[in-house]
Amino acid sequence: EQLILCQEDRMNLRCRLSKQNFLPAPLFSTMKLPFFLIAAILTFQNESALAFTHTFGASRRASYLKMNIEKNENAKEIKVGVIGAGRIGLVHLEAITKAPGVTPVIISNPTVSKAEKAAKQFNLPRFTADAMDVIKDPEVDAVWICSPSQYHAEQIKAAAAEGKDIFCEKPIATCLPETVEAINACNEAGVKLMIGLQRRFDENFRRVKGAVERREVGKPIMIKLCSRDPAPPPFQYVKGGGGIFTDMAVHDLDMTRFLAGTDPIEILAIGSCHIDKSILELEGSERFDT
């Protein structure tokens, strides 16, 4: 289970996975990491970008990542269970209570007093300290995963095994193999998986997307995205969560694919630590705040 990069033609890099059946879920997320500067630059060539594929020698194709919007006039009321009563969990729970045809029925949090408080605030009949109580609840049709990033993949797989549709905060996982496993589990179980990449629904980003598609801005050759937050996150939040690339830059990476309509053919990532030097002891991308 590893990402394999092969040099092809001139500068093209084809990304393939040795894991079978990798197909990105139909819709890929809003917890922010405070004070970072991220610049994501993507140059692309129409009809020449390459998507992830699990077989060698596969043909080039546009990105699988797209929004599928379906209107169902006969939709039943959806009963939702929420995992996580932290800041973002409460943001989603409040939105769920205002959405038509959706009713939250249970919420979990390891510190059960937070789950109890949220249940009282939003009139949920049940609360628990165990996420599996939410996932296995027979009344729950869909699970909202708002837990820390390192728990997402296992909870996605568990919910898929129970036949529950899933909304999950970004990222899907903190490493590529776990991401693939989680997506495969949903595909194999035939359940829906949506990741909270909410910028695709933002009016300003959709306006830019439309301008690109209508060639109002000419032929694009570069997309540059910059994100900032006002302060660094706590050390314990960063540890195990994947760091700035996984937890925040995922929005910028998603927007490059959304605006370009294709996958990148070459990727270069550069990171630094300018703000919180304590994270330098962490591994991989968790060592960077810029």
Side-chain angles (χ1 to χ4, degrees):
E1 298 179 356
Q2 61 180 351
L3 179 65
I4 302 171
L5 300 177
C6 302
Q7 185 75 30
E8 284 199 6
D9 300 324
R10 291 166 293 170
M11 296 178 63
N12 291 350
L13 285 176
R14 172 166 297 178
C15 302
R16 303 186 180 89
L17 294 168
S18 57
K19 179 78 177 179
Q20 291 185 346
N21 299 325
F22 173 58
L23 288 176
L27 192 59
F28 282 100
S29 172
T30 280
M31 197 180 309
K32 293 184 178 178
L33 278 183
F35 190 77
F36 307 121
L37 169 62
I38 303 174
I41 302 174
L42 168 67
T43 57
F44 61 94
Q45 302 166 342
N46 291 337
E47 301 179 356
S48 67
L50 307 175
F52 287 112
T53 173
H54 72 278
T55 57
F56 295 104
S59 60
R60 300 177 183 181
R61 67 195 73 184
S63 174
Y64 280 114
L65 196 57
K66 61 182 183 297
M67 295 191 296
N68 293 332
I69 302 175
E70 300 176 0
K71 188 174 182 180
N72 187 351
E73 300 291 351
N74 300 314
K76 67 170 186 175
E77 181 185 21
I78 303 297
K79 301 292 182 66
V80 170
V82 178
I83 298 174
R87 183 188 67 84
I88 200 63
L90 296 182
V91 169
H92 283 292
L93 181 55
E94 182 178 5
I96 292 168
T97 61
K98 296 177 180 178
V102 184
T103 302
V105 296
I106 185 172
I107 186 170
S108 72
N109 198 82
T111 305
V112 72
S113 60
K114 291 186 176 181
E116 181 180 14
K117 182 179 179 180
K120 289 180 179 179
Q121 180 180 353
F122 294 101
N123 298 315
L124 274 65
R126 296 185 296 284
F127 62 90
T128 177
D130 191 347
M132 288 305 299
D133 291 342
V134 174
I135 291 171
K136 290 183 173 292
D137 190 307
E139 191 179 10
V140 169
D141 301 304
V143 176
W144 242 250
I145 299 176
C146 304
S147 56
S149 300
Q150 56 266 43
Y151 303 116
H152 289 181
E154 287 302 319
Q155 290 170 350
I156 288 172
K157 290 188 287 185
E162 294 294 323
K164 308 295 175 70
D165 292 323
I166 303 153
F167 173 93
C168 183
E169 258 298 334
K170 54 78 193 159
I172 296 176
T174 56
C175 69
L176 184 61
E178 288 186 358
T179 301
V180 175
E181 288 178 3
I183 294 170
N184 287 344
C186 293
N187 286 336
E188 291 163 7
V191 300
K192 296 181 177 67
L193 171 64
M194 178 177 179
I195 305 302
L197 295 172
Q198 81 288 349
R199 293 184 184 182
R200 288 172 173 248
F201 300 92
D202 183 272
E203 290 185 5
N204 291 319
F205 281 105
R206 292 171 70 88
R207 171 71 182 95
V208 173
K209 172 72 169 177
V212 171
E213 291 178 336
R214 292 187 293 271
R215 294 294 175 91
E216 295 177 22
V217 293
K219 182 179 180 181
I221 59 171
M222 179 180 292
I223 298 170
K224 184 175 181 178
L225 301 169
C226 186
S227 299
R228 297 180 179 91
D229 273 339
F235 177 89
Q236 291 301 323
Y237 177 84
V238 178
K239 185 178 180 180
I244 187 173
F245 288 103
T246 301
D247 198 72
M248 185 178 176
V250 62
H251 284 298
D252 299 279
L253 297 172
D254 178 58
M255 279 298 96
T256 60
R257 303 180 78 189
F258 175 66
L259 296 174
T262 58
D263 286 320
I265 59 175
E266 184 176 13
I267 298 173
L268 170 66
I270 300 173
S272 302
C273 180
H274 292 306
I275 310 302
D276 183 5
K277 300 299 183 180
S278 69
I279 65 174
L280 284 172
E281 68 180 68
L282 300 177
E283 300 292 331
S285 62
E286 293 179 1
R287 293 166 47 87
F288 308 122
D289 59 21
T290 306

